[in-house]
Amino acid sequence: MRNWMWLPLLCMPFAVFAQTPDEDEERIEQIVRERYGPTQTEIDALALQGLGPDGQPLIDPATGLPVVLGADMVLMPITGAAPAVVAAAAIDPAAEAAAAEAARPPVGPIQFEDLSKLVGQWVKLKTYNGRVWQGQVKAVKGNEVQLTVTQRSGAALMTLKKNAIASLERI
């Protein structure tokens, strides 16, 4: 066959399987969710279930235990400074802070098991792949630790597994 005889076949339109607008919108939403995380509406819905933005239970920084929602508990965003909590019995804040500090491991090298005592404190860790991270311990769940690390554009919440951490240090 001569080459010019193939020309009509090349000009014929081919069926293209295009996505519907709804499928396209869902794909865009999935990409945005993967890149930026859940929306504020989704975060609020998770908070009402006692879960954080990552779908894990909310952790009380004071105890390191999951928060148990009660019927009288109201979740609301805090703007500005946190409200003062009035205790039933007057406790000396300086004595309470000294007792909490005494229960924490000293500054320097620590073990992974010590991290649950350091919620809210700053640590420095090195992973087995050589990365060094400094951050504030947000939660410890089983064999994972969540750190808030500061980066150029702000802060990020990182979750690292125990078997990825080569060394830990309280700073």
Side-chain angles (χ1 to χ4, degrees):
M1 248 183 177
R2 298 184 187 244
N3 290 339
W4 60 271
M5 295 179 81
W6 290 100
L7 187 60
L9 288 176
L10 293 175
C11 295
M12 290 179 57
F14 289 97
V16 177
F17 296 102
Q19 291 183 337
T20 65
D22 291 335
E23 292 171 335
D24 206 27
E25 182 70 25
E26 179 61 33
R27 186 178 61 82
I28 291 169
E29 289 294 326
Q30 180 182 4
I31 291 170
V32 169
R33 189 172 289 111
E34 288 172 0
R35 184 170 291 169
Y36 299 108
T39 63
Q40 189 62 47
T41 306
E42 293 168 337
I43 291 171
D44 293 343
L46 287 169
L48 291 174
Q49 300 171 23
L51 303 175
D54 57 356
Q56 299 295 319
L58 292 171
I59 302 295
D60 182 1
T63 63
L65 299 173
V67 173
V68 179
L69 297 179
D72 59 343
M73 186 179 288
V74 178
L75 294 175
M76 54 189 276
I78 297 175
T79 56
V85 177
V86 179
I91 298 174
D92 181 18
E96 186 177 317
E101 186 61 33
R104 293 187 186 118
V107 173
I110 58 170
Q111 299 296 318
F112 186 87
E113 292 72 23
D114 295 330
L115 284 175
S116 60
K117 300 173 191 170
L118 294 175
V119 172
Q121 302 297 309
W122 283 79
V123 294
K124 179 178 178 181
L125 62 87
K126 183 176 183 180
T127 62
Y128 282 109
N129 66 4
R131 297 285 308 257
V132 176
W133 299 98
Q134 289 187 16
Q136 187 177 23
V137 178
K138 285 296 179 188
V140 180
K141 302 175 206 164
N143 287 333
E144 294 181 343
V145 60
Q146 288 184 337
L147 294 176
T148 300
V149 296
T150 53
Q151 300 192 338
R152 291 182 206 140
S153 60
L157 183 64
M158 289 183 47
T159 302
L160 293 165
K161 296 195 179 289
K162 177 181 179 179
N163 61 1
I165 301 171
S167 65
L168 279 165
E169 180 181 349
R170 179 178 177 203
I171 53 175

